[in-house]
Amino acid sequence: QKEVEQNSGPLSVPEGAIASLNCTYSDRGSQSFFWYRQYSGKSPELIMFIYSNGDKEDGRFTAQLNKASQYVSLLIRDSQPSDSATYLCAAYNTNAGKSTFGDGTTLTVKP
Amino acid sequence: NAGVMQNPRHLVRRRGQEARLRCSPMKGHSHVYWYRQLPEEGLKFMVYLQKENIIDESGMPKERFSAEFPKEGPSILRIQQVVRGDSAAYFCASSQVWDGSYEQYFGPGTRLTVT
């Protein structure tokens, strides 16, 4: 079992729809969670981070964390073609000082 | 505030040569991480460094790879006697770890091609 698991996709949604990206983690020592967006051939770009259970909203993005279920998600509202990218989930263990990344979910938003 | 800088952006080496990849962290950041990404694959952790200290090198291959982050200057990832399997994108990330903030910011990467 991978430490951080994501559906590889591809996930395809029509423009304007809500895209839902999911991530589970196995290390209960993980306390901080991050979502990165990576366009093809580019470096990962941090788009959201969440440390506490519940929801965190930033513009069209909402991150959700449930530590009891070891589950993190990212919702993208009003999806745009420019949101088409690979989304990486990362879990950070404060004691180890290390982030573990999932393999990413590829999202395609169709006009 | 300049972001994380990496150079070179592209590096071509022949088998058996050495590759040196450089990373300057974001201003104010003292923690550096190196990751490798093979084509169509995810990010794999290699090493975590603070100034003059290797904190965690559990992701580094035991041979040919080394990393340092000197008191002055950039962090260096060094690959000796490169082989074709070393061809990948190498990303550096930096953070300023303090209570409540652990975000890592990535540089543009160095794309290493071994011929």
Side-chain angles (χ1 to χ4, degrees):
Chain A
Q1 181 190 7
K2 292 182 180 178
E3 289 187 44
V4 177
E5 297 231 34
Q6 298 181 248
N7 291 331
S8 60
L11 173 65
S12 181
V13 300
E15 184 174 356
I18 296 175
S20 177
L21 304 162
N22 304 316
C23 172
T24 59
Y25 62 95
S26 60
D27 179 9
R28 285 198 173 273
S30 297
Q31 294 119 350
S32 307
F33 302 88
F34 307 94
W35 283 99
Y36 290 83
R37 177 175 61 198
Q38 187 176 26
Y39 293 112
S40 180
K42 301 295 185 182
S43 63
E45 173 192 8
L46 180 66
I47 54 172
M48 287 287 287
F49 56 88
I50 185 166
Y51 301 151
S52 303
N53 278 328
D55 295 359
K56 179 181 178 183
E57 187 174 320
D58 184 1
R60 296 186 296 112
F61 299 98
T62 298
Q64 299 173 317
L65 173 60
N66 183 325
K67 290 186 178 181
S69 301
Q70 297 177 252
Y71 175 84
V72 192
S73 67
L74 179 70
L75 300 178
I76 306 174
R77 290 181 299 281
D78 188 23
S79 296
Q80 302 297 309
S82 58
D83 294 326
S84 298
T86 297
Y87 289 80
L88 303 171
C89 170
Y92 182 86
N93 183 312
T94 309
N95 292 330
K98 187 171 78 175
S99 282
T100 301
F101 283 78
D103 287 342
T105 298
T106 300
L107 171 68
T108 300
V109 180
K110 295 186 175 179
Chain B
N1 187 11
V4 179
M5 294 190 290
Q6 290 187 250
N7 67 81
R9 296 287 299 275
H10 300 274
L11 182 61
V12 179
R13 285 288 178 266
R14 292 181 180 159
R15 281 180 297 170
Q17 291 185 320
E18 178 180 289
R20 284 194 176 219
L21 288 61
R22 294 174 183 78
C23 169
S24 295
M26 193 177 286
K27 186 176 180 181
H29 286 189
S30 58
H31 299 251
V32 167
Y33 309 80
W34 285 94
Y35 296 87
R36 177 164 65 176
Q37 189 173 41
L38 295 169
E40 306 302 322
E41 293 190 12
L43 280 169
K44 302 302 179 189
F45 168 81
M46 298 182 74
V47 63
Y48 165 33
L49 310 106
Q50 295 177 24
K51 287 281 187 181
E52 299 185 282
N53 280 310
I54 297 175
I55 307 302
D56 182 345
E57 56 182 348
S58 60
M60 287 272 276
K62 296 287 185 243
E63 298 177 350
R64 302 187 297 109
F65 286 72
S66 62
E68 63 175 5
F69 189 15
K71 186 176 180 181
E72 301 291 337
S75 174
I76 306 284
L77 178 67
R78 183 182 177 205
I79 311 172
Q80 295 178 291
Q81 299 174 334
V82 296
V83 300
R84 287 215 172 113
D86 297 332
S87 295
Y90 292 83
F91 292 103
C92 166
S94 74
S95 69
Q96 177 62 320
V97 176
W98 57 281
D99 282 347
S101 176
Y102 307 102
E103 303 94 82
Q104 294 180 20
Y105 295 89
F106 281 81
T110 294
R111 277 143 186 90
L112 172 65
T113 302
V114 179
T115 61

Short mmCIF file of all heavy atoms in Angstrom, two decimals, chain B residues 38-92:
data_model
loop_
_atom_site.label_atom_id
_atom_site.label_comp_id
_atom_site.label_asym_id
_atom_site.label_seq_id
_atom_site.Cartn_x
_atom_site.Cartn_y
_atom_site.Cartn_z
N LEU B 38 10.41 10.81 -12.65
CA LEU B 38 10.61 10.13 -13.92
C LEU B 38 9.43 10.44 -14.84
O LEU B 38 8.33 10.77 -14.35
CB LEU B 38 10.74 8.62 -13.69
CG LEU B 38 11.98 8.20 -12.90
CD1 LEU B 38 11.88 6.74 -12.49
CD2 LEU B 38 13.23 8.45 -13.70
N PRO B 39 9.62 10.34 -16.14
CA PRO B 39 8.53 10.65 -17.07
C PRO B 39 7.25 9.88 -16.73
O PRO B 39 7.30 8.67 -16.49
CB PRO B 39 9.10 10.22 -18.42
CG PRO B 39 10.58 10.36 -18.28
CD PRO B 39 10.86 9.98 -16.85
N GLU B 40 6.16 10.58 -16.69
CA GLU B 40 4.83 10.00 -16.44
C GLU B 40 4.73 9.36 -15.05
O GLU B 40 3.86 8.53 -14.82
CB GLU B 40 4.47 8.97 -17.51
CG GLU B 40 4.57 9.49 -18.94
CD GLU B 40 3.69 10.70 -19.20
OE1 GLU B 40 2.57 10.75 -18.67
OE2 GLU B 40 4.14 11.61 -19.91
N GLU B 41 5.59 9.73 -14.13
CA GLU B 41 5.52 9.18 -12.78
C GLU B 41 5.40 10.30 -11.75
O GLU B 41 5.52 11.48 -12.08
CB GLU B 41 6.74 8.30 -12.48
CG GLU B 41 6.79 7.04 -13.32
CD GLU B 41 7.85 6.07 -12.85
OE1 GLU B 41 8.40 6.26 -11.74
OE2 GLU B 41 8.14 5.12 -13.58
N GLY B 42 5.18 9.91 -10.49
CA GLY B 42 5.03 10.88 -9.43
C GLY B 42 6.37 11.37 -8.90
O GLY B 42 7.44 10.92 -9.32
N LEU B 43 6.28 12.31 -7.96
CA LEU B 43 7.46 12.85 -7.30
C LEU B 43 7.98 11.87 -6.26
O LEU B 43 7.21 11.38 -5.43
CB LEU B 43 7.12 14.15 -6.60
CG LEU B 43 7.04 15.42 -7.45
CD1 LEU B 43 6.44 16.54 -6.64
CD2 LEU B 43 8.41 15.82 -7.95
N LYS B 44 9.27 11.63 -6.28
CA LYS B 44 9.87 10.75 -5.29
C LYS B 44 10.87 11.53 -4.45
O LYS B 44 11.80 12.13 -4.99
CB LYS B 44 10.58 9.57 -5.96
CG LYS B 44 9.68 8.72 -6.84
CD LYS B 44 8.49 8.16 -6.09
CE LYS B 44 7.60 7.35 -7.01
NZ LYS B 44 6.32 6.97 -6.35
N PHE B 45 10.67 11.51 -3.15
CA PHE B 45 11.56 12.19 -2.22
C PHE B 45 12.96 11.60 -2.29
O PHE B 45 13.13 10.37 -2.35
CB PHE B 45 11.02 12.06 -0.80
CG PHE B 45 11.98 12.48 0.27
CD1 PHE B 45 12.16 13.81 0.60
CD2 PHE B 45 12.70 11.51 0.97
CE1 PHE B 45 13.04 14.18 1.60
CE2 PHE B 45 13.58 11.87 1.97
CZ PHE B 45 13.76 13.20 2.29
N MET B 46 13.96 12.46 -2.29
CA MET B 46 15.33 11.98 -2.28
C MET B 46 16.03 12.33 -0.96
O MET B 46 16.51 11.46 -0.25
CB MET B 46 16.12 12.57 -3.45
CG MET B 46 15.59 12.19 -4.81
SD MET B 46 16.58 12.87 -6.14
CE MET B 46 18.03 11.80 -6.06
N VAL B 47 16.06 13.64 -0.64
CA VAL B 47 16.85 14.07 0.51
C VAL B 47 16.31 15.38 1.05
O VAL B 47 15.76 16.19 0.32
CB VAL B 47 18.34 14.21 0.11
CG1 VAL B 47 18.53 15.28 -0.96
CG2 VAL B 47 19.24 14.47 1.31
N TYR B 48 16.49 15.54 2.38
CA TYR B 48 16.05 16.75 3.09
C TYR B 48 17.27 17.30 3.82
O TYR B 48 17.92 16.59 4.57
CB TYR B 48 14.93 16.38 4.05
CG TYR B 48 14.56 17.37 5.13
CD1 TYR B 48 14.66 18.74 4.93
CD2 TYR B 48 14.09 16.91 6.36
CE1 TYR B 48 14.31 19.63 5.93
CE2 TYR B 48 13.73 17.80 7.36
CZ TYR B 48 13.84 19.15 7.16
OH TYR B 48 13.48 20.03 8.15
N LEU B 49 17.55 18.57 3.56
CA LEU B 49 18.75 19.18 4.15
C LEU B 49 18.40 20.51 4.82
O LEU B 49 17.49 21.22 4.39
CB LEU B 49 19.81 19.47 3.08
CG LEU B 49 20.19 18.37 2.12
CD1 LEU B 49 19.60 18.62 0.74
CD2 LEU B 49 21.70 18.27 2.00
N GLN B 50 19.13 20.80 5.87
CA GLN B 50 19.21 22.14 6.41
C GLN B 50 20.65 22.60 6.24
O GLN B 50 21.51 21.81 5.86
CB GLN B 50 18.79 22.16 7.88
CG GLN B 50 17.34 21.78 8.09
CD GLN B 50 16.96 21.73 9.56
OE1 GLN B 50 17.59 22.35 10.40
NE2 GLN B 50 15.93 20.97 9.87
N LYS B 51 20.92 23.83 6.52
CA LYS B 51 22.27 24.36 6.34
C LYS B 51 23.29 23.45 7.05
O LYS B 51 23.19 23.20 8.26
CB LYS B 51 22.38 25.77 6.93
CG LYS B 51 21.68 26.82 6.09
CD LYS B 51 22.49 27.24 4.91
CE LYS B 51 21.83 28.42 4.19
NZ LYS B 51 22.61 28.82 3.00
N GLU B 52 24.23 22.93 6.28
CA GLU B 52 25.35 22.11 6.77
C GLU B 52 24.90 20.78 7.38
O GLU B 52 25.72 20.09 8.00
CB GLU B 52 26.18 22.89 7.80
CG GLU B 52 26.80 24.16 7.22
CD GLU B 52 27.70 24.86 8.21
OE1 GLU B 52 27.16 25.54 9.12
OE2 GLU B 52 28.93 24.73 8.08
N ASN B 53 23.65 20.40 7.20
CA ASN B 53 23.18 19.14 7.78
C ASN B 53 22.30 18.38 6.81
O ASN B 53 21.43 18.96 6.15
CB ASN B 53 22.35 19.39 9.04
CG ASN B 53 23.23 19.65 10.25
OD1 ASN B 53 24.15 18.89 10.53
ND2 ASN B 53 22.93 20.73 10.94
N ILE B 54 22.51 17.08 6.71
CA ILE B 54 21.59 16.20 6.02
C ILE B 54 20.64 15.64 7.06
O ILE B 54 21.07 14.95 7.99
CB ILE B 54 22.32 15.06 5.29
CG1 ILE B 54 23.23 15.64 4.20
CG2 ILE B 54 21.31 14.09 4.68
CD1 ILE B 54 24.09 14.60 3.51
N ILE B 55 19.36 15.96 6.93
CA ILE B 55 18.39 15.54 7.93
C ILE B 55 17.83 14.15 7.60
O ILE B 55 17.65 13.32 8.47
CB ILE B 55 17.22 16.54 8.05
CG1 ILE B 55 17.75 17.95 8.29
CG2 ILE B 55 16.25 16.12 9.14
CD1 ILE B 55 18.61 18.09 9.54
N ASP B 56 17.54 13.93 6.34
CA ASP B 56 16.94 12.65 5.93
C ASP B 56 17.36 12.37 4.51
O ASP B 56 17.06 13.15 3.61
CB ASP B 56 15.41 12.74 6.04
CG ASP B 56 14.69 11.44 5.70
OD1 ASP B 56 15.31 10.53 5.10
OD2 ASP B 56 13.49 11.33 6.01
N GLU B 57 18.09 11.32 4.29
CA GLU B 57 18.51 10.95 2.93
C GLU B 57 17.98 9.58 2.57
O GLU B 57 18.56 8.86 1.76
CB GLU B 57 20.02 11.01 2.78
CG GLU B 57 20.78 10.17 3.77
CD GLU B 57 22.30 10.31 3.60
OE1 GLU B 57 22.75 10.87 2.59
OE2 GLU B 57 23.01 9.83 4.51
N SER B 58 16.85 9.21 3.15
CA SER B 58 16.31 7.87 2.96
C SER B 58 15.89 7.59 1.53
O SER B 58 15.77 6.44 1.13
CB SER B 58 15.12 7.64 3.90
OG SER B 58 14.10 8.59 3.66
N GLY B 59 15.67 8.62 0.72
CA GLY B 59 15.26 8.42 -0.66
C GLY B 59 16.41 8.45 -1.66
O GLY B 59 16.20 8.28 -2.86
N MET B 60 17.59 8.65 -1.16
CA MET B 60 18.75 8.74 -2.05
C MET B 60 19.28 7.35 -2.37
O MET B 60 19.45 6.53 -1.46
CB MET B 60 19.87 9.53 -1.36
CG MET B 60 19.57 11.00 -1.28
SD MET B 60 20.13 11.89 -2.69
CE MET B 60 21.84 12.14 -2.21
N PRO B 61 19.58 7.06 -3.64
CA PRO B 61 20.28 5.82 -3.94
C PRO B 61 21.60 5.77 -3.17
O PRO B 61 22.23 6.80 -2.92
CB PRO B 61 20.53 5.92 -5.45
CG PRO B 61 19.47 6.85 -5.95
CD PRO B 61 19.26 7.84 -4.84
N LYS B 62 21.97 4.58 -2.77
CA LYS B 62 23.14 4.43 -1.88
C LYS B 62 24.44 4.79 -2.58
O LYS B 62 25.40 5.23 -1.95
CB LYS B 62 23.23 2.99 -1.37
CG LYS B 62 22.05 2.59 -0.49
CD LYS B 62 22.11 3.25 0.85
CE LYS B 62 21.00 2.75 1.76
NZ LYS B 62 20.09 3.78 2.15
N GLU B 63 24.48 4.60 -3.87
CA GLU B 63 25.72 4.85 -4.60
C GLU B 63 25.51 5.97 -5.61
O GLU B 63 24.42 6.18 -6.13
CB GLU B 63 26.17 3.57 -5.32
CG GLU B 63 26.49 2.44 -4.37
CD GLU B 63 26.88 1.16 -5.08
OE1 GLU B 63 26.71 1.10 -6.32
OE2 GLU B 63 27.34 0.23 -4.41
N ARG B 64 26.55 6.68 -5.88
CA ARG B 64 26.69 7.68 -6.94
C ARG B 64 25.98 9.00 -6.63
O ARG B 64 26.27 10.00 -7.27
CB ARG B 64 26.18 7.15 -8.29
CG ARG B 64 26.88 5.89 -8.79
CD ARG B 64 26.45 5.53 -10.22
NE ARG B 64 25.03 5.22 -10.31
CZ ARG B 64 24.13 6.03 -10.90
NH1 ARG B 64 24.52 7.17 -11.43
NH2 ARG B 64 22.86 5.66 -10.97
N PHE B 65 25.05 9.03 -5.72
CA PHE B 65 24.30 10.26 -5.41
C PHE B 65 24.76 10.84 -4.08
O PHE B 65 24.96 10.12 -3.11
CB PHE B 65 22.80 9.96 -5.32
CG PHE B 65 22.12 9.72 -6.64
CD1 PHE B 65 22.35 8.55 -7.34
CD2 PHE B 65 21.25 10.67 -7.17
CE1 PHE B 65 21.72 8.33 -8.56
CE2 PHE B 65 20.61 10.46 -8.39
CZ PHE B 65 20.84 9.28 -9.08
N SER B 66 24.90 12.17 -4.07
CA SER B 66 25.20 12.86 -2.83
C SER B 66 24.58 14.25 -2.88
O SER B 66 24.29 14.78 -3.96
CB SER B 66 26.71 12.95 -2.59
OG SER B 66 27.33 13.70 -3.62
N ALA B 67 24.39 14.83 -1.71
CA ALA B 67 23.79 16.16 -1.64
C ALA B 67 24.43 16.92 -0.50
O ALA B 67 24.88 16.33 0.50
CB ALA B 67 22.28 16.07 -1.43
N GLU B 68 24.47 18.23 -0.66
CA GLU B 68 24.98 19.09 0.38
C GLU B 68 24.26 20.43 0.34
O GLU B 68 23.71 20.83 -0.69
CB GLU B 68 26.49 19.31 0.22
CG GLU B 68 26.89 20.00 -1.06
CD GLU B 68 28.38 20.29 -1.12
OE1 GLU B 68 29.13 19.86 -0.21
OE2 GLU B 68 28.80 20.95 -2.08
N PHE B 69 24.29 21.10 1.49
CA PHE B 69 23.73 22.45 1.60
C PHE B 69 24.69 23.21 2.51
O PHE B 69 24.54 23.21 3.73
CB PHE B 69 22.33 22.37 2.19
CG PHE B 69 21.56 23.67 2.16
CD1 PHE B 69 21.96 24.74 1.38
CD2 PHE B 69 20.41 23.80 2.93
CE1 PHE B 69 21.24 25.92 1.36
CE2 PHE B 69 19.67 24.99 2.91
CZ PHE B 69 20.09 26.04 2.12
N PRO B 70 25.70 23.83 1.90
CA PRO B 70 26.74 24.48 2.70
C PRO B 70 26.22 25.73 3.39
O PRO B 70 25.15 26.26 3.06
CB PRO B 70 27.82 24.80 1.68
CG PRO B 70 27.09 24.90 0.37
CD PRO B 70 25.96 23.93 0.46
N LYS B 71 27.02 26.21 4.32
CA LYS B 71 26.66 27.43 5.05
C LYS B 71 26.45 28.60 4.11
O LYS B 71 25.55 29.42 4.29
CB LYS B 71 27.76 27.75 6.06
CG LYS B 71 27.46 28.91 6.99
CD LYS B 71 28.56 29.08 8.02
CE LYS B 71 28.24 30.24 8.96
NZ LYS B 71 29.34 30.43 9.96
N GLU B 72 27.28 28.68 3.10
CA GLU B 72 27.15 29.72 2.08
C GLU B 72 26.94 29.06 0.73
O GLU B 72 27.60 28.07 0.41
CB GLU B 72 28.42 30.59 2.04
CG GLU B 72 28.75 31.29 3.35
CD GLU B 72 27.75 32.37 3.69
OE1 GLU B 72 27.08 32.88 2.75
OE2 GLU B 72 27.63 32.71 4.89
N GLY B 73 26.06 29.61 -0.06
CA GLY B 73 25.87 29.10 -1.40
C GLY B 73 24.70 28.15 -1.53
O GLY B 73 24.01 27.83 -0.55
N PRO B 74 24.48 27.69 -2.75
CA PRO B 74 23.29 26.86 -3.01
C PRO B 74 23.47 25.43 -2.52
O PRO B 74 24.57 24.97 -2.21
CB PRO B 74 23.21 26.89 -4.55
CG PRO B 74 24.63 27.01 -4.99
CD PRO B 74 25.28 27.91 -3.96
N SER B 75 22.35 24.73 -2.50
CA SER B 75 22.40 23.29 -2.27
C SER B 75 22.82 22.62 -3.59
O SER B 75 22.45 23.07 -4.67
CB SER B 75 21.02 22.80 -1.84
OG SER B 75 21.02 21.39 -1.73
N ILE B 76 23.57 21.56 -3.47
CA ILE B 76 24.07 20.84 -4.65
C ILE B 76 23.63 19.39 -4.56
O ILE B 76 23.81 18.74 -3.52
CB ILE B 76 25.61 20.85 -4.71
CG1 ILE B 76 26.16 22.28 -4.64
CG2 ILE B 76 26.10 20.12 -5.96
CD1 ILE B 76 26.02 23.07 -5.88
N LEU B 77 23.06 18.90 -5.64
CA LEU B 77 22.82 17.46 -5.80
C LEU B 77 23.81 16.97 -6.84
O LEU B 77 23.85 17.48 -7.96
CB LEU B 77 21.38 17.19 -6.25
CG LEU B 77 21.01 15.73 -6.50
CD1 LEU B 77 21.02 14.94 -5.18
CD2 LEU B 77 19.64 15.61 -7.16
N ARG B 78 24.59 16.00 -6.46
CA ARG B 78 25.66 15.52 -7.32
C ARG B 78 25.41 14.07 -7.69
O ARG B 78 25.13 13.23 -6.81
CB ARG B 78 26.98 15.64 -6.57
CG ARG B 78 28.21 15.24 -7.34
CD ARG B 78 29.43 15.39 -6.43
NE ARG B 78 30.66 14.97 -7.07
CZ ARG B 78 31.74 14.53 -6.41
NH1 ARG B 78 31.71 14.48 -5.10
NH2 ARG B 78 32.81 14.18 -7.07
N ILE B 79 25.50 13.78 -8.97
CA ILE B 79 25.33 12.41 -9.45
C ILE B 79 26.60 12.03 -10.19
O ILE B 79 26.95 12.63 -11.21
CB ILE B 79 24.12 12.26 -10.40
CG1 ILE B 79 22.87 12.90 -9.78
CG2 ILE B 79 23.87 10.79 -10.69
CD1 ILE B 79 21.68 12.95 -10.75
N GLN B 80 27.29 11.06 -9.66
CA GLN B 80 28.52 10.60 -10.29
C GLN B 80 28.24 9.46 -11.26
O GLN B 80 27.30 8.67 -11.07
CB GLN B 80 29.51 10.14 -9.23
CG GLN B 80 29.98 11.26 -8.31
CD GLN B 80 30.92 10.75 -7.23
OE1 GLN B 80 30.50 10.02 -6.33
NE2 GLN B 80 32.19 11.13 -7.31
N GLN B 81 29.06 9.37 -12.30
CA GLN B 81 28.99 8.25 -13.26
C GLN B 81 27.55 8.00 -13.69
O GLN B 81 27.00 6.91 -13.49
CB GLN B 81 29.60 6.99 -12.62
CG GLN B 81 31.07 7.17 -12.26
CD GLN B 81 31.63 5.97 -11.50
OE1 GLN B 81 30.90 5.24 -10.85
NE2 GLN B 81 32.93 5.79 -11.62
N VAL B 82 26.94 9.01 -14.28
CA VAL B 82 25.52 8.92 -14.62
C VAL B 82 25.25 7.77 -15.58
O VAL B 82 26.09 7.40 -16.41
CB VAL B 82 25.00 10.24 -15.22
CG1 VAL B 82 25.08 11.37 -14.19
CG2 VAL B 82 25.74 10.60 -16.50
N VAL B 83 24.04 7.21 -15.43
CA VAL B 83 23.55 6.16 -16.33
C VAL B 83 22.24 6.64 -16.93
O VAL B 83 21.64 7.62 -16.46
CB VAL B 83 23.35 4.83 -15.57
CG1 VAL B 83 24.66 4.36 -14.95
CG2 VAL B 83 22.28 4.98 -14.49
N ARG B 84 21.78 5.94 -17.97
CA ARG B 84 20.58 6.39 -18.68
C ARG B 84 19.37 6.45 -17.75
O ARG B 84 18.51 7.31 -17.90
CB ARG B 84 20.29 5.48 -19.87
CG ARG B 84 21.26 5.67 -21.01
CD ARG B 84 20.58 5.50 -22.35
NE ARG B 84 21.51 5.89 -23.43
CZ ARG B 84 22.01 5.04 -24.31
NH1 ARG B 84 21.69 3.76 -24.26
NH2 ARG B 84 22.82 5.47 -25.25
N GLY B 85 19.34 5.55 -16.77
CA GLY B 85 18.22 5.55 -15.84
C GLY B 85 18.15 6.77 -14.94
O GLY B 85 17.14 6.98 -14.26
N ASP B 86 19.21 7.59 -14.94
CA ASP B 86 19.19 8.82 -14.15
C ASP B 86 18.45 9.94 -14.86
O ASP B 86 18.20 11.00 -14.27
CB ASP B 86 20.62 9.28 -13.84
CG ASP B 86 21.40 8.29 -12.99
OD1 ASP B 86 20.75 7.55 -12.21
OD2 ASP B 86 22.64 8.25 -13.10
N SER B 87 18.12 9.74 -16.13
CA SER B 87 17.40 10.76 -16.89
C SER B 87 16.04 11.00 -16.23
O SER B 87 15.24 10.08 -16.08
CB SER B 87 17.20 10.31 -18.33
OG SER B 87 18.45 10.20 -19.01
N ALA B 88 15.82 12.23 -15.83
CA ALA B 88 14.60 12.56 -15.10
C ALA B 88 14.57 14.07 -14.87
O ALA B 88 15.53 14.78 -15.20
CB ALA B 88 14.56 11.85 -13.74
N ALA B 89 13.47 14.53 -14.31
CA ALA B 89 13.40 15.92 -13.83
C ALA B 89 13.72 15.90 -12.34
O ALA B 89 13.15 15.09 -11.60
CB ALA B 89 12.03 16.51 -14.07
N TYR B 90 14.61 16.77 -11.94
CA TYR B 90 14.99 16.87 -10.52
C TYR B 90 14.50 18.22 -10.01
O TYR B 90 14.87 19.27 -10.53
CB TYR B 90 16.50 16.74 -10.36
CG TYR B 90 17.00 15.35 -10.69
CD1 TYR B 90 17.24 14.97 -12.02
CD2 TYR B 90 17.19 14.40 -9.70
CE1 TYR B 90 17.67 13.69 -12.33
CE2 TYR B 90 17.63 13.13 -9.99
CZ TYR B 90 17.87 12.77 -11.31
OH TYR B 90 18.28 11.50 -11.61
N PHE B 91 13.64 18.13 -9.01
CA PHE B 91 13.06 19.34 -8.45
C PHE B 91 13.60 19.58 -7.05
O PHE B 91 13.76 18.66 -6.26
CB PHE B 91 11.54 19.23 -8.37
CG PHE B 91 10.85 19.20 -9.71
CD1 PHE B 91 10.37 18.01 -10.23
CD2 PHE B 91 10.68 20.37 -10.44
CE1 PHE B 91 9.74 17.98 -11.47
CE2 PHE B 91 10.05 20.35 -11.67
CZ PHE B 91 9.58 19.14 -12.18
N CYS B 92 13.83 20.83 -6.77
CA CYS B 92 14.21 21.27 -5.45
C CYS B 92 13.03 22.06 -4.88
O CYS B 92 12.33 22.78 -5.61
CB CYS B 92 15.44 22.16 -5.55
SG CYS B 92 15.83 23.13 -4.11
#
